[in-house]
Amino acid sequence: MVAASFPATLFLAGLALLATGLLTPESALELAARTVPILLFVLAMTVVTELADNAGLFRFITARLARLGTRSTLNAPPRGRIVFLWLLVVVLATVSTVFLSLDTTAVLVTPVVVSLARHARIHPLPFALTTVWLANTASLLLPVSNLTNLLAQRQLGLSPLGFAQLLWAPALVGVLVPVAFLFLIYRKDLRGRYREPALPPVADKRLLLLSAGTVALLLPALVSGVAVWIPASIAAVFLLVVFVVRQRSAIRWAMLPIQPLLLTMGLFLLVTALHDHGLGTALTRISGTGEDFLSLLQLAGLGALSANGVNNLPAYLALEPVADSPVRMAALLLGVNLGPLVTPWASLATLLWHSRMKSMGFNISWRGYVLAGLALAVVLVPLSVLALWLSAGLPG
């Protein structure tokens, strides 16, 4: 009850700041203009992915991938190799994160991947850690991949293509380095072969096809340059109508992300109020000012430390004013997107992932998680900054 009430309490505290004048109405209106469309996108995408999951889309895709892994061709790895199945999960988690957001990977991909590993009699931990790490580290390439990206895109005024052109090199590092770490850690568990799993039964084939078609059409719409909340809202309304006709019982209030939205709005209000009272000035002294490698690393490192200390959303908002150029904004995103790998509360995706793992009876050692995440973060963040610096052609 205490954990569940915290987001509501934080949101009410934010409203109290506005009511008492500690947060000025002008700042609140500016905040609303920036964040309401983004929060509407989050709401719509949650509805789309939850309904698609109810139709069995993610289970069907994952099972198909597993069966693909047991098919041997002249150009494919041998039949049923665990490492090949794991690489397919890497692709699924990356694509899901890039196009559907990190929270989709944490909430919907994690349980089906872990269930798949269990059914194939494979140790689930490498697959589970793959989804949570890539949910965070693969969230750099497109604005829709992460809420921080959407905020940064609006600030920079970049198209999805322009955003990808700015961040493609560190985004590639954000996928390859965690995958290399995971392989080194779990190479023994990834040896051997697995038994081909059965395809899950499809209760309503038409519903599955309509859900798959909706998601397939939505993906290019999200990178078309149209405000992302528009196609996401259209897709959500369409699927709601389809489910009202074919499976009304799947529509329930519980699928709406009320708690995450309240938490996000509360954090937004709190950090904006702090900026009204000089937070930006204080952070300028420790965040650096240049675009050389060390200055970018300083900003990214501060973002990573702040994200692990509180959460990546308030960390981004607090540091956004000091990211006063596209490259410095990119460096900040490296810190707050790739850095939250150490503490459980560093990103909402990690908390959602842990909740799903716990509901499946899987106990996570936070000590092991922290140590592994720390080892990855201290390598990943500098390498990603180096990739950004080199790709941007900046002076040393």
Side-chain angles (χ1 to χ4, degrees):
M1 178 67 72
V2 173
S5 64
F6 176 72
T9 302
L10 185 62
F11 176 63
L12 291 175
L15 293 180
L17 291 172
L18 178 59
T20 58
L22 293 173
L23 171 62
T24 65
E26 294 78 13
S27 295
L29 288 173
E30 182 182 351
L31 176 67
R34 291 189 61 198
T35 60
V36 168
I38 294 172
L39 296 176
L40 182 58
F41 164 75
V42 172
L43 180 64
M45 283 302 298
T46 301
V47 171
V48 169
T49 52
E50 286 282 354
L51 291 179
D53 185 53
N54 269 288
L57 179 60
F58 293 99
R59 293 187 297 276
F60 184 81
I61 291 174
T62 308
R64 281 288 183 183
L65 288 175
R67 290 172 72 88
L68 174 64
T70 64
R71 297 291 184 261
S72 180
T73 68
L74 291 177
N75 298 317
R79 177 181 176 89
R81 288 195 179 277
I82 294 174
V83 68
F84 183 54
L85 178 62
W86 173 69
L87 289 174
L88 291 173
V89 169
V90 167
V91 172
L92 176 63
T94 301
V95 171
S96 169
T97 301
V98 169
F99 290 99
L100 297 177
S101 87
L102 72 170
D103 294 337
T104 297
T105 302
V107 173
L108 298 178
V109 175
T110 295
V112 294
V113 166
V114 170
S115 296
L116 170 67
R118 283 176 166 171
H119 292 157
R121 298 182 179 178
I122 304 170
H123 187 32
L125 188 56
F127 294 80
L129 194 57
T130 296
T131 57
V132 70
W133 273 7
L134 289 178
N136 287 289
T137 65
S139 66
L140 269 178
L141 186 62
L142 295 177
V144 298
S145 308
N146 199 317
L147 182 56
T148 55
N149 297 0
L150 288 169
L151 291 167
Q153 181 201 20
R154 184 179 178 89
Q155 191 76 355
L156 294 171
L158 291 175
S159 68
L161 178 60
F163 191 91
Q165 288 174 336
L166 176 65
L167 284 156
W168 70 268
L172 189 61
V173 172
V175 174
L176 295 180
V177 173
V179 168
F181 260 71
L182 286 161
F183 181 77
L184 289 174
I185 295 171
Y186 293 109
R187 58 189 181 279
K188 292 183 180 179
D189 295 302
L190 297 175
R191 294 174 182 170
R193 301 174 184 268
Y194 66 94
R195 187 175 63 183
E196 178 180 308
L199 286 175
V202 178
D204 189 329
K205 187 175 181 179
R206 183 170 295 180
L207 190 62
L208 176 62
L209 290 173
L210 287 169
S211 299
T214 301
V215 173
L217 291 173
L218 178 59
L219 297 186
L222 293 176
V223 296
S224 65
V226 177
V228 291
W229 68 270
I230 297 175
S233 299
I234 293 171
V237 170
F238 174 75
L239 281 184
L240 282 170
V241 172
V242 169
F243 270 79
V244 165
V245 174
R246 302 195 65 86
Q247 194 182 114
R248 187 186 297 264
S249 60
I251 301 175
R252 58 196 188 282
W253 287 109
M255 71 181 182
L256 298 179
I258 302 300
Q259 297 295 329
L261 288 178
L262 289 175
L263 176 67
T264 301
M265 289 187 289
L267 290 171
F268 285 169
L269 291 167
L270 175 61
V271 174
T272 303
L274 290 174
H275 270 296
D276 278 351
H277 294 276
L279 177 64
T281 303
L283 290 174
T284 300
R285 301 190 185 101
I286 58 174
S287 61
T289 56
E291 294 184 348
D292 58 282
F293 173 72
L294 290 179
S295 295
L296 296 178
L297 182 60
Q298 181 180 355
L299 178 56
L302 182 59
L305 287 172
S306 302
N308 283 291
V310 282
N311 179 268
N312 66 335
L313 282 175
Y316 169 82
L317 285 177
L319 291 165
E320 185 186 66
V322 302
D324 50 5
S325 72
V327 174
R328 284 183 60 79
M329 182 68 78
L332 173 58
L333 289 176
L334 301 188
V336 298
N337 287 15
L338 304 184
L341 298 169
V342 184
T343 59
W345 55 83
S347 78
L348 180 60
T350 302
L351 293 173
L352 294 171
W353 171 82
H354 179 256
S355 176
R356 286 300 172 105
M357 294 295 291
K358 188 175 180 181
S359 69
M360 299 178 72
F362 202 101
N363 293 319
I364 300 297
S365 166
W366 282 123
R367 181 177 180 273
Y369 181 90
V370 167
L371 291 175
L374 179 61
L376 174 58
V378 297
V379 174
L380 178 59
V381 173
L383 284 179
S384 66
V385 173
L386 179 62
L388 172 67
W389 178 67
L390 291 174
S391 65
L394 296 171

